Amino acid sequence: MSDFSVEQIKNLHKRFEQLSGNEETISRENLENIPALANNPIRRQIIGAFFDKRNQHQNEVGSFEEIGFEQFLMVMSHFRPPTLKTTEEERETMRKEKLRFLFNMHDTDNDGTITLEEYRKAVEELLSKSGAIGQEAAKAIADAAMLEVASTNVPHMAPDDFYEGITFEHFEQILKGLEMESRMHIRFLDVDTTTMHCGRSTS
Amino acid sequence: MPSRTCSHSPSGFGKSLPEQGLLLLVVLVLLEGSVLPLGAASSPDVSHQDDSHNHKVADHGVNATKKVFPVLDVDYHHIQTPFEISLWVLLASLMKLGFHLIPRLSSIVPESCLLIVVGLLVGGLIKLAGEQVPPVLDSRLFFLCLLPPIILDAGYFLPIRPFMENVGTILMFAVVGTVWNAFFVGGLLYAVCQIQPANPSSLHSIELLHCLLFGSIISAVDPVAVLAVFEEIHINELLHILVFGESLLNDAVTVVLYHLFVEYAGVGTVTVMDGFLGVISFLVVALGGVLVGAIYGILAAFTSRFTSHTRVIEPLFVFVYSYMAYLSAEMFHLSGIMALIACGAVMRPYVEANISHKSHTTIKYFLKMWSSVSETLIFIFLGVATVDGPHSWNWTFVTVTVILCLVARVIGVVGLTYIINKFRIVKLTTKDQFIVAYGGLRGAIAFSLGFLLDQNQFAHRKMFLTAIITVIFFTVFVQGMTIKPLVELLAVKKKQEAKRSINEEIHTQFLDHLLTGIEDICGHYGHHHWKDKLNRFNKKYVKKCLIAGERSKEPQLIAFYHKMEMKQAIELVESGGGVKLPSAVPSTVSMQNIQPKKPPPAKAAERALPQLPKGREEEIRKILRSNLQRTRQRLRSYNRHTLVADPYEDGFSDLLIKKQKMIELEKKIKEMNNYLTVPAAPPDSPTMCRARLASDPQAYSMKPVSDSVPVIQVDLASPQSPDSVNVMDEFRRANQEEDQGLMMKPPQGSSGSNKPGEADTTRDQQRLMRCLSDPGPSADEDEDEPFLP
């Protein structure tokens, strides 16, 4: 969290104030009112991630009703990119952190595994803007994906064994080709920006 | 980039084959050498012949001397040009063949080097025979015939995502880097020429503008050479796309600089105004080229929307529209290469959604074939032209050129990377910079541009050509040969060979949406935001126009999933449905391991409906498999205008409907299960062995019945009760009306209720079936909705 520059923190604070209507905390409604998010198929999960206690790295579970700027910043810190100075170890930690964030988004009941139901739900949400075709195929796709995870991680299962769900280790394994630490980032602004068109309904 | 080289033949062939190959090559080269001088006579000679022929005819009327009727006549000139062209192409292809028969050679020396050597040999042979070497690297031939296939192949298969992610970096290298190279080399060369020692060297007479022109010709990284070398070293995607993208995009810069300097070299001075116009010209050339390409691409996509009834000519549209884009751009002196790239990249997603699978394969293989032949020919011709070309060797000029090129490249790359890294998230390391600098190969484009220069206007043309050829040879031979060991030495990250999995695809999409969402929450319009906007625009308007039918609404994830299923099914069929596993990871995991177990029924005595015993399941699968194979063999021959409706092709809605029918059928079978009394055959029974063999198409002894799916001989399980035969009949009847498409996954018994003791009978085939990605419906009783309404 301390890896943000002063400029970046200032800008994020400005944005926080805009979203919260100059209050101390923001609630889910504040985020849901952002018009640009309306088109996003997974917006509920994204908003949920902000209020998820697991993403605050305090070993708590559950969710907040409202969050303050510190928690906001904590969630945002998951999206920092690696720099040239980041060592291999730090990259590993970063990758784990980001994968954990994604994992938490899928594992809604917080039992440490992504079950088939949860995965189906996730794929359904992803295809939710695609109409009827999306919904039918979603189940098949989720099943196929789950099968693939199971096949890769636990190749030899007896016919009567049951694969409980994707654990965090398995999740890491299947996504290791994507190099999360380089992909999952956004560009935080160093300079002041006045392009705050979003969230105009809240400000 | 998929490799265009064929795989090594097994070394177990013994030494005789490579030796024979070599012998054949030598013979052909000699033949070539002797025939070509015969044909070196160009058209004036032919017309001369015609005249004399006419004369003879005229004389004939006057003199009427009777000639013996020629039973056998040799008229070479009649077929001269096509014959020579074919001979060159044949030579090129045989060379390529030969290199790969010699096992160790192709791993040490890149193909391009070998081909240049062959060209040198051929040129040398022709010269030895005392004949004039044909002007093979004629600029028109090169730019209009040899270059377009290579560029189209590159553009059509350009990986869009990495290209777009790095487009800023690529443009910096292409534009700023090339301009820097041109001016650095040209300027310093002029300076070096001026400070020549006292003896009035011919170098003193070179003008600045001529040097700058030379600089601009020699500074462009060549896509053909880069492709040829980089394809064999398999470096990671980022570096590949950086160097390759640069080589493609610098064409616009080269075109502008070249024309600018050619124009003004005559006049002798360049003003600031001209420089300013040059910049404008660059923008016009680059953007104009892309625009022309995009227009033709959209036309091609739109045309492909209507080709569902004439599948045979689909590939033709792709090729012709692209070529016309190239020619149109060249007509306006815009960048033809950028037009071609834009055309290929724009049309591809839409065309691929519209055309049949076979057309897709055709396009792929034709492009690979043409570009491969083109590339081979280019390198051979380079060798021939070297032997032939007018040379004027000047030690100073040539060595200084080579050194300056290297130095300029290194400084350019390092300097630009320093600036670029300030804006990049994923920074370029020193290793990356080294590879980018080292990979700046020059090739035939530079030579052709030099060849185009007018001898009268540019007195030093010969020297220029010699220097260009030297630089090309240096980069291709020295850099080309050493880059592979250097890549190994520096442990540069290699290309990831693994196929893209469905999980990765799901999460890539998920990540896209997530990052767009976070950007929206942060409130700034980053590039995820714009990408998302573009995608939505594409989905809403463009796809509806350019993609036929239902596919226009198909989201990308589903398209990917269907493609993957298709591939797996085809692999399955091609492997003969035998023991070979289609998936990369052999595993025994199946859908039943994943489906949540049904809660055990309250009464222990009462079990859920007995599910299909494993043996029965197996037999049903075998039937499906064998039917599928039969269908393949049933494809009748086609006339030139239509193709028989391809069983794999009939659209996914058909596929889904079939799946639904299958599901209903399976439900019926389950109900009939109670009547089945046949025990499953034990693992080693002859029926099982025969069953396994039976999957092999050659071993099949069934005769296809003309119009219906062939009847399966009832040997599959030993004593058949009449009821079980009924089950089979059901299947047959169900399958008869349809050309059975892909293999559908037979019903999965819900876990846990399989009869014990039959667990391992047909493990192999089961493993096979379970690797199919389509899980089919779960057998839960409460799942009422059909798969497709």
Side-chain angles (χ1 to χ4, degrees):
Chain A
M1 176 154 143
S2 53
D3 285 357
F4 281 121
S5 76
V6 177
E7 277 302 323
Q8 290 170 337
I9 296 185
K10 265 202 244 174
N11 284 320
L12 284 172
H13 191 85
K14 258 206 198 105
R15 178 61 178 166
F16 184 83
E17 284 181 348
Q18 217 182 28
L19 288 174
S20 69
N22 285 324
E23 306 219 352
E24 288 292 316
T25 60
I26 53 177
S27 65
R28 285 176 198 259
E29 283 77 44
N30 293 120
L31 289 182
E32 278 168 14
N33 287 333
I34 302 176
L37 269 189
N39 284 315
N40 201 317
I42 56 169
R43 98 182 217 240
R44 250 184 319 122
Q45 272 124 316
I46 299 178
I47 295 178
F50 274 88
F51 293 90
D52 193 339
K53 281 190 186 166
R54 289 175 293 178
N55 289 330
Q56 299 296 327
H57 298 287
Q58 308 263 355
N59 288 330
E60 292 176 4
V61 292
S63 55
F64 296 108
E65 286 301 319
E66 299 183 327
I67 55 171
F69 183 59
E70 261 191 37
Q71 284 106 355
F72 183 75
L73 212 52
M74 189 66 187
V75 172
M76 284 298 181
S77 74
H78 288 95
F79 294 95
R80 275 172 300 122
T83 65
L84 268 177
K85 301 194 204 75
T86 323
T87 65
E88 259 316 303
E89 277 176 28
E90 286 173 2
R91 270 177 195 260
E92 262 309 304
T93 328
M94 207 182 240
R95 187 183 316 157
K96 268 193 155 59
E97 216 177 76
K98 298 187 188 214
L99 282 173
R100 188 86 224 175
F101 187 86
L102 278 183
F103 190 82
N104 288 342
M105 283 180 85
H106 292 312
D107 181 21
T108 43
D109 63 0
N110 193 30
D111 60 354
T113 59
I114 305 178
T115 61
L116 185 61
E117 271 315 307
E118 288 169 345
Y119 209 11
R120 275 186 190 161
K121 191 108 201 321
V123 177
E124 265 173 35
E125 292 280 309
L126 200 54
L127 292 174
S128 58
K129 297 273 174 194
S130 312
I133 305 180
Q135 295 313 304
E136 283 129 25
K139 206 163 88 53
I141 293 176
D143 290 349
M146 196 74 168
L147 182 63
E148 198 182 72
V149 178
S151 313
T152 333
N153 284 304
V154 195
H156 300 288
M157 291 178 79
D160 287 342
D161 286 349
F162 178 56
Y163 182 68
E164 296 288 337
I166 310 179
T167 62
F168 185 59
E169 287 76 35
H170 294 175
F171 193 68
E172 272 183 291
Q173 180 67 22
I174 54 168
L175 290 186
K176 72 172 179 205
L178 283 184
E179 287 187 3
M180 269 312 158
E181 75 273 15
S182 322
R183 270 194 186 233
M184 186 165 137
H185 62 78
I186 66 170
R187 197 186 288 278
F188 288 104
L189 299 174
D190 287 324
V191 293
D192 192 1
T193 172
T194 47
T195 59
M196 301 290 195
H197 301 294
C198 314
R200 68 190 119 118
S201 55
T202 62
S203 55
Chain B
M1 295 297 243
S3 169
R4 273 183 253 132
T5 59
C6 47
S7 55
H8 292 242
S9 64
S11 56
F13 269 41
K15 283 200 232 136
S16 59
L17 193 53
E19 283 173 1
Q20 283 173 18
L22 273 177
L23 215 61
L24 184 59
L25 291 177
V26 170
V27 165
L28 199 72
V29 166
L30 283 174
L31 179 68
E32 185 96 10
S34 58
V35 165
L36 280 175
L38 278 181
S42 49
S43 43
D45 262 339
V46 177
S47 55
H48 185 71
Q49 287 274 354
D50 276 348
D51 282 343
S52 61
H53 197 75
N54 285 338
H55 257 289
K56 264 196 218 136
V57 172
D59 281 347
H60 204 89
V62 174
N63 279 343
T65 47
K66 188 158 180 227
K67 246 176 32 169
V68 177
F69 188 79
V71 173
L72 191 62
D73 203 7
V74 177
D75 190 1
Y76 181 66
H77 291 292
H78 186 58
I79 49 114
Q80 177 189 335
T81 318
F83 189 80
E84 282 181 12
I85 296 175
S86 309
L87 212 54
W88 276 114
V89 173
L90 192 61
L91 171 72
S93 315
L94 286 172
M95 288 299 131
K96 223 176 151 69
L97 210 62
F99 294 148
H100 289 279
L101 285 178
I102 307 171
R104 268 190 3 216
L105 195 59
S106 37
S107 52
I108 305 175
V109 185
E111 216 174 84
S112 35
C113 304
L114 294 170
L115 290 169
I116 294 184
V117 169
V118 167
L120 288 172
L121 282 174
V122 172
L125 276 172
I126 296 180
K127 255 224 163 117
L128 274 180
E131 292 293 337
Q132 189 205 16
V133 177
V136 280
L137 212 49
D138 174 39
S139 294
R140 281 192 69 210
L141 175 71
F142 177 75
F143 280 112
L144 293 182
C145 297
L146 292 177
L147 192 59
I150 301 179
I151 306 294
L152 180 59
D153 178 38
Y156 194 78
F157 292 108
L158 193 68
I160 295 286
R161 195 180 246 268
F163 186 78
M164 282 306 170
E165 283 173 8
N166 295 295
V167 77
T169 315
I170 293 177
L171 278 174
M172 274 288 267
F173 279 127
V175 177
V176 180
T178 312
V179 170
W180 155 260
N181 273 351
F183 281 95
F184 186 81
V185 173
L188 278 187
L189 211 51
Y190 180 68
V192 165
C193 289
Q194 289 305 336
I195 63 170
Q196 278 300 292
N199 58 329
S201 146
S202 60
L203 292 179
H204 282 222
S205 59
I206 303 184
E207 300 169 27
L208 176 63
L209 280 174
H210 289 211
C211 276
L212 286 176
L213 174 62
F214 178 73
S216 68
I217 294 178
I218 199 79
S219 63
V221 177
D222 186 87
V224 180
V226 164
L227 261 179
V229 170
F230 269 50
E231 233 171 40
E232 297 179 4
I233 62 178
H234 299 302
I235 50 170
N236 64 54
E237 204 175 45
L238 173 66
L239 286 178
H240 187 122
I241 201 71
L242 282 181
V243 181
F244 183 59
E246 179 196 342
S247 70
L248 291 175
L249 294 187
N250 67 19
D251 180 60
V253 180
T254 311
V255 164
V256 169
L257 282 178
Y258 182 81
H259 283 300
L260 192 70
F261 288 129
V262 163
E263 285 287 323
Y264 294 117
V267 178
T269 55
V270 179
T271 64
V272 176
M273 186 62 185
D274 297 326
F276 185 63
L277 281 178
V279 173
I280 306 265
S281 167
F282 164 71
L283 287 172
V284 168
V285 163
L287 295 174
V290 172
L291 191 67
V292 168
I295 292 177
Y296 275 98
I298 294 185
L299 279 176
F302 190 65
T303 313
S304 73
R305 187 177 162 183
F306 303 105
T307 56
S308 50
H309 299 290
T310 44
R311 296 270 183 207
V312 192
I313 55 173
E314 271 172 348
L316 194 64
F317 285 118
V318 171
F319 301 139
V320 171
Y321 272 113
S322 313
Y323 194 48
M324 286 192 66
Y326 180 75
L327 294 175
S328 308
E330 287 288 321
M331 177 169 70
F332 294 111
H333 281 299
L334 304 173
S335 168
I337 289 185
M338 292 183 78
L340 213 43
I341 301 280
C343 184
V346 164
M347 79 162 107
R348 185 176 178 207
Y350 308 109
V351 163
E352 295 219 323
N354 283 328
I355 61 177
S356 69
H357 185 74
K358 283 195 173 141
S359 297
H360 171 81
T361 310
T362 308
I363 291 177
K364 184 162 95 162
Y365 279 98
F366 259 83
L367 281 178
K368 297 293 168 202
M369 178 186 82
W370 271 330
S371 61
S372 178
V373 169
S374 261
E375 187 186 289
T376 315
L377 276 176
I378 288 178
F379 282 112
I380 292 187
F381 286 171
L382 208 51
V384 172
T386 308
V387 170
D388 167 46
H391 287 302
S392 156
W393 181 270
N394 183 309
W395 275 105
T396 325
F397 191 80
V398 173
T399 45
V400 169
T401 307
V402 174
I403 296 175
L404 279 180
C405 278
L406 286 173
V407 170
R409 177 86 183 152
V410 172
I411 299 180
V413 168
V414 171
L416 282 175
T417 314
Y418 180 72
I419 303 175
I420 289 171
N421 268 347
K422 294 203 199 293
F423 298 98
R424 277 181 71 89
I425 304 271
V426 180
K427 317 277 182 192
L428 294 176
T429 64
T430 320
K431 257 194 260 179
D432 296 337
Q433 291 174 40
F434 176 74
I435 297 289
V436 172
Y438 207 68
L441 307 171
R442 314 303 202 260
I445 292 186
F447 182 78
S448 304
L449 285 176
F451 206 77
L452 269 175
L453 291 175
D454 184 6
Q455 180 65 41
N456 302 325
Q457 212 185 0
F458 298 95
H460 298 275
R461 177 174 172 263
K462 287 192 199 159
M463 196 168 65
F464 286 176
L465 280 178
T466 312
I468 292 174
I469 289 204
T470 314
V471 172
I472 294 178
F473 272 43
F474 183 82
T475 54
V476 172
F477 278 90
V478 175
Q479 286 178 234
M481 278 207 272
T482 53
I483 198 168
K484 195 162 184 181
L486 275 174
V487 161
E488 303 281 335
L489 194 69
L490 291 175
V492 177
K493 238 186 328 179
K494 292 260 185 133
K495 186 159 74 161
Q496 242 186 329
E497 289 301 343
K499 267 192 297 199
R500 208 167 163 77
S501 73
I502 183 103
N503 278 294
E504 285 183 357
E505 182 68 23
I506 292 177
H507 281 96
T508 310
Q509 298 251 327
F510 195 82
L511 213 52
D512 274 345
H513 289 297
L514 174 64
L515 294 175
T516 310
I518 299 283
E519 272 187 3
D520 289 334
I521 293 181
C522 269
H524 76 261
Y525 291 155
H527 90 235
H528 285 281
H529 179 95
W530 292 116
K531 201 161 75 161
D532 189 57
K533 265 211 160 114
L534 185 65
N535 275 339
R536 272 188 286 129
F537 172 73
N538 186 19
K539 199 161 82 163
K540 200 159 168 207
Y541 299 111
V542 183
K543 274 191 180 171
K544 290 222 173 80
C545 276
L546 299 180
I547 299 184
E550 279 304 305
R551 296 291 297 272
S552 62
K553 297 204 205 81
E554 197 179 50
Q556 193 189 346
L557 186 59
I558 297 183
F560 177 85
Y561 172 65
H562 282 317
K563 223 194 288 186
M564 208 178 72
E565 271 198 291
M566 170 90 107
K567 264 194 223 152
Q568 283 187 340
I570 290 179
E571 266 174 47
L572 178 63
V573 171
E574 280 182 357
S575 71
V579 197
K580 214 173 19 144
L581 294 164
S583 75
V585 180
S587 80
T588 55
V589 180
S590 76
M591 277 317 295
Q592 72 186 52
N593 294 109
I594 297 175
Q595 301 281 0
K597 283 194 167 73
K598 279 197 335 202
K603 288 200 323 209
E606 191 185 292
R607 303 201 56 165
L609 254 190
Q611 299 302 314
L612 282 176
K614 282 228 168 84
R616 179 56 69 208
E617 251 187 55
E618 253 329 290
E619 288 165 37
I620 293 174
R621 283 196 199 115
K622 261 177 261 140
I623 297 166
L624 290 176
R625 225 182 299 141
S626 50
N627 285 349
L628 185 58
Q629 288 182 340
R630 273 293 130 192
T631 314
R632 279 192 90 204
Q633 295 167 22
R634 267 201 309 147
L635 279 180
R636 291 173 277 269
S637 69
Y638 55 90
N639 65 23
R640 233 180 301 160
H641 304 289
T642 61
L643 285 174
V644 162
D646 200 332
Y648 304 143
E649 286 301 313
D650 288 332
F652 286 106
S653 45
D654 288 2
L655 179 66
L656 294 173
I657 293 173
K658 282 176 209 159
K659 272 189 199 156
Q660 191 193 1
K661 283 198 190 155
M662 285 302 303
I663 293 155
E664 288 168 27
L665 199 54
E666 284 148 12
K667 278 197 184 140
K668 268 193 248 175
I669 292 170
K670 264 180 251 156
E671 284 161 32
M672 289 179 63
N673 220 357
N674 300 327
Y675 305 126
L676 294 177
T677 58
V678 180
D684 297 323
S685 79
T687 51
M688 282 309 168
C689 298
R690 212 179 310 150
R692 279 198 209 105
L693 271 183
S695 330
D696 182 9
Q698 281 86 32
Y700 229 123
S701 56
M702 313 297 179
K703 299 181 281 296
V705 180
S706 55
D707 270 331
S708 63
V709 170
V711 173
I712 305 296
Q713 302 292 348
V714 193
D715 304 326
L716 283 172
S718 19
Q720 292 280 332
S721 77
D723 293 306
S724 62
V725 176
N726 283 343
V727 173
M728 312 256 194
D729 275 343
E730 276 252 18
F731 263 94
R732 258 179 279 133
R733 253 180 279 128
N735 294 336
Q736 249 168 16
E737 301 99 36
E738 322 158 7
D739 240 0
Q740 196 164 341
L742 294 176
M743 168 81 81
M744 266 71 78
K745 207 150 192 208
Q748 299 302 323
S750 83
S751 59
S753 14
N754 284 310
K755 291 208 182 101
E758 296 165 6
D760 284 283
T761 54
T762 48
R763 243 303 149 67
D764 288 3
Q765 283 106 335
Q766 282 177 359
R767 223 184 285 157
L768 199 60
M769 294 304 108
R770 283 162 183 170
C771 291
L772 268 184
S773 58
D774 176 25
S778 95
D780 289 343
E781 298 300 338
D782 36 320
E783 195 142 78
D784 293 333
E785 309 99 277
F787 192 66
L788 193 64

